[in-house]
Amino acid sequence: MTVTSEQRFGEFVAVRRHEGREHVAELVLDRPKAMNAVSSEMARSIGAACAALAADQTVRATVLSSSHERAFCVGADLKERNSFSDAELVRQRPTARAAYTGVLELPMPVVAAVHGFALGGGFELALACDVIVADRTAVVGLPEVSVGVIPGGGGTQLLPRRVGAARAAELVFTARRVEAAEAHALGLVDELVEAGRDREEALALGGRIAANSPVGLRAAKRALRLGQGLDLRAGLEVEDAAWRSVAFSGDRAEGVAAFNEKRKPNWPGE
């Protein structure tokens, strides 16, 4: 797949666009010497890249991927953390947190392409995405209690929303690593593909998503996210508000016209 453009955010993060998939952005974790361990510098870069993507109305889907052959991301940079004083750790916390919320709050659908190790904060970055595509080499887990902390990138909140409170508790409390087949069976990942195919399959899924209305996609994601945890009546109100935001849009008019004229929509994106 030919890369048509690349924008760097610091040394360790890139956003790439590909020939034939102009509405799909690939957010690449690119710190191979450290298996994408998230340092303060890398966290700032992830946050900056997400801010740029969120503001780009041409992006209809994002794929979060890794340039490392054996890891998606091994979590926080513990070597850096070991050098921090208590005061430095407190000051660094908003920087780290902004990286995870940056991915979580992207307004378009986001697909994670996971292979190898996705542990701690690395798995939390994947959990912040809407869909996780993993290959058979994937090993996921939240091992933070084994080093005296807790998942701090959203894991205690995102994991139970995927697999339920009891299963999430077992995984967090034991700090165990879960290999690909079990991870798929438990719902920790959504699609399981052959080794080496995670990125290609995630980009293909991103392309299928991006064929749809950008206005509709963002509104649907907003309704799905805001409705989580609400009772049905409140959730339906969230859905109705999202529907009203798209019902009179140019995309809605174009979609209906294209359907009736039996042609592919040309989405205005408004």
Side-chain angles (χ1 to χ4, degrees):
M1 190 178 304
T2 303
V3 176
T4 57
S5 68
E6 176 177 291
Q7 183 179 4
R8 301 293 304 191
F9 292 84
E11 185 179 355
F12 303 131
V13 175
V15 172
R16 295 172 182 163
R17 306 293 277 269
H18 301 277
E19 185 177 0
R21 292 205 174 103
E22 60 271 19
H23 296 297
V24 179
E26 184 181 11
L27 175 56
V28 185
L29 306 177
D30 189 26
R31 194 188 179 199
K33 291 182 180 179
M35 300 181 82
N36 290 329
V38 182
S39 63
S40 297
E41 179 184 349
M42 187 172 179
R44 282 191 290 270
S45 296
I46 293 170
C50 288
L53 286 168
D56 189 340
Q57 295 296 316
T58 70
V59 179
R60 301 179 190 171
T62 295
V63 172
L64 179 61
S65 69
S66 162
S67 66
H68 195 283
E69 292 182 356
R70 294 188 295 110
F72 174 73
C73 173
V74 294
D77 186 339
L78 295 184
K79 290 183 179 179
E80 180 189 63
R81 292 283 179 90
N82 191 50
S83 71
F84 284 167
S85 66
D86 288 352
E88 288 170 332
L89 183 60
V90 169
R91 287 196 295 270
Q92 194 261 0
R93 174 62 177 163
T95 299
R97 191 174 180 188
Y100 300 104
T101 56
V103 176
L104 184 65
E105 293 177 359
L106 282 170
M108 75 291 291
V110 185
V111 180
V114 174
H115 60 266
F117 297 111
L119 301 172
F123 189 38
E124 288 174 305
L125 286 172
L127 289 172
C129 299
D130 300 291
V131 181
I132 302 174
V133 175
D135 81 359
R136 293 189 181 276
T137 71
V139 179
V140 306
L142 297 175
E144 284 87 347
V145 297
S146 69
V147 294
V149 291
I150 71 166
T156 65
Q157 304 305 304
L158 294 170
L159 188 59
R161 283 167 167 78
R162 273 187 162 266
V163 300
R167 179 62 67 191
E170 182 264 322
L171 293 167
V172 171
F173 295 160
T174 62
R176 71 183 179 95
R177 299 180 179 190
V178 184
E179 295 188 0
E182 184 185 6
H184 185 236
L186 294 178
L188 299 175
V189 304
D190 303 301
E191 295 189 20
L192 187 60
V193 300
E194 294 304 314
R197 294 286 303 169
D198 56 295
R199 178 175 172 272
E200 290 80 1
E201 295 293 342
L203 286 168
L205 176 57
R208 294 194 296 275
I209 291 169
N212 297 304
S213 157
V215 172
L217 288 170
R218 292 184 180 220
K221 177 166 179 172
R222 191 164 64 248
L224 285 164
R225 286 289 178 89
L226 293 178
Q228 285 183 357
L230 300 179
D231 64 42
L232 179 59
R233 187 180 296 275
L236 290 173
E237 291 302 317
V238 168
E239 181 182 82
D240 187 65
W243 179 85
R244 290 175 185 276
S245 74
V246 301
F248 309 104
S249 68
D251 274 15
R252 197 276 312 171
E254 169 61 13
V256 172
F259 177 83
N260 284 292
E261 295 166 14
K262 297 181 174 57
R263 58 174 175 82
K264 184 179 179 181
N266 183 22
W267 304 114
E270 58 185 23

